[in-house]
Amino acid sequence: MMNRSLLCALMLALTAMPAGAANLVKTYSYFSVGGRTLDDIQNQLSRNGPEVKSTGSRHPGATQMAFTTRISYAQSAESCRIADAAVTVKVKVILPEWRRPRKADPDVRLFWDTLSADIKRHEERHVEIAKNHARLLEDALKSIPAQKTCEEAKAKAAAVQAAELARHDQDQVRFDRVESVNFENRILRLMRYRMERVEAGQLPPP
């Protein structure tokens, strides 16, 4: 058994450790999808899915993101430096929810279970990309060397933030592009995998 005093010291040390870099605030919302057939579901997704400003079209899922940066400065007689920087990214994940009919065809249910899981995985990856860049932004801000004045320090911080957010946007677009190219093969592969697990008794029938 661990010595009680050692355990208390360890707990105090863990309590004193700083929180993980960058803060993520995540919420979910859902929109309804109806229909009995694959065509019905596809039409519902196209009609009811969230509209994405970057494409001007509706998607089967979306993630809204907002970065907030709080910076404190320390000024001395000769310079001004960034004393601390905290980046928060707020995300809202928008996902479809199927109002499943009682007598929906098993193949349609299998397709929906596969598709909805892939949509959620896709949007969660968008969240991870945003969180990674929030962490990079926070580290970059803290690494800015001292400037002659706080005005110069603020200008440098603004430039660093603009550059990191531009890289974030590029990574998000790149991820969507790759996912779009591989969509059909990925869904077919996932459906085969789910069906094999159903047949093996590892998943309940759709």
Side-chain angles (χ1 to χ4, degrees):
M1 182 178 294
M2 184 179 294
N3 181 278
R4 181 181 295 274
S5 60
L6 179 60
L7 177 60
C8 291
L10 178 60
M11 291 178 66
L12 288 173
L14 291 175
T15 303
M17 290 178 64
N23 184 34
L24 175 68
V25 179
K26 181 167 60 172
T27 58
Y28 292 89
S29 70
Y30 299 86
F31 64 94
S32 296
V33 173
R36 291 179 174 273
T37 67
L38 299 183
D39 287 340
D40 289 341
I41 292 174
Q42 184 174 352
N43 290 335
Q44 289 272 311
L45 289 172
S46 300
R47 186 174 62 190
N48 298 340
E51 185 175 354
V52 178
K53 293 181 180 179
S54 61
T55 64
S57 60
R58 294 189 176 275
H59 288 218
T63 302
Q64 299 173 349
M65 308 172 199
F67 287 79
T68 303
T69 304
R70 299 182 63 182
I71 305 173
S72 59
Y73 298 85
Q75 187 170 16
S76 65
E78 298 179 352
S79 66
C80 182
R81 64 180 178 84
I82 292 178
D84 193 22
V87 179
T88 298
V89 56
K90 293 183 179 181
V91 299
K92 179 180 179 181
V93 181
I94 306 172
L95 299 172
E97 190 171 48
W98 185 29
R99 299 194 306 271
R100 178 177 297 186
R102 291 183 178 179
K103 297 182 179 180
D105 188 89
D107 290 341
V108 178
R109 295 201 299 268
L110 174 64
F111 174 80
W112 172 257
D113 290 343
T114 305
L115 177 63
S116 60
D118 190 66
I119 293 171
K120 187 175 189 298
R121 176 205 58 82
H122 177 93
E123 300 306 329
E124 293 290 356
R125 180 55 187 151
H126 276 305
V127 174
E128 285 300 315
I129 292 173
K131 185 178 180 181
N132 288 340
H133 280 277
R135 185 180 300 112
L136 291 172
L137 174 56
E138 193 170 281
D139 292 342
L141 289 170
K142 291 178 180 179
S143 299
I144 293 176
Q147 306 293 307
K148 291 182 179 180
T149 66
C150 283
E151 286 72 19
E152 291 180 10
K154 291 177 182 178
K156 184 66 174 178
V160 166
Q161 180 167 319
E164 187 59 49
L165 292 183
R167 285 190 286 269
H168 163 265
D169 293 346
Q170 292 168 1
D171 280 351
Q172 296 286 14
V173 170
R174 187 180 301 112
F175 171 67
D176 272 338
R177 188 182 301 123
V178 172
E179 289 276 291
S180 177
V181 170
N182 298 325
F183 175 74
E184 288 189 14
N185 289 336
R186 184 174 66 253
I187 292 299
L188 290 175
R189 184 176 67 253
L190 290 172
M191 288 185 66
R192 285 196 297 269
Y193 175 72
R194 278 180 174 266
M195 183 55 70
E196 289 172 357
R197 293 191 64 189
V198 169
E199 293 175 350
Q202 298 173 348
L203 282 177

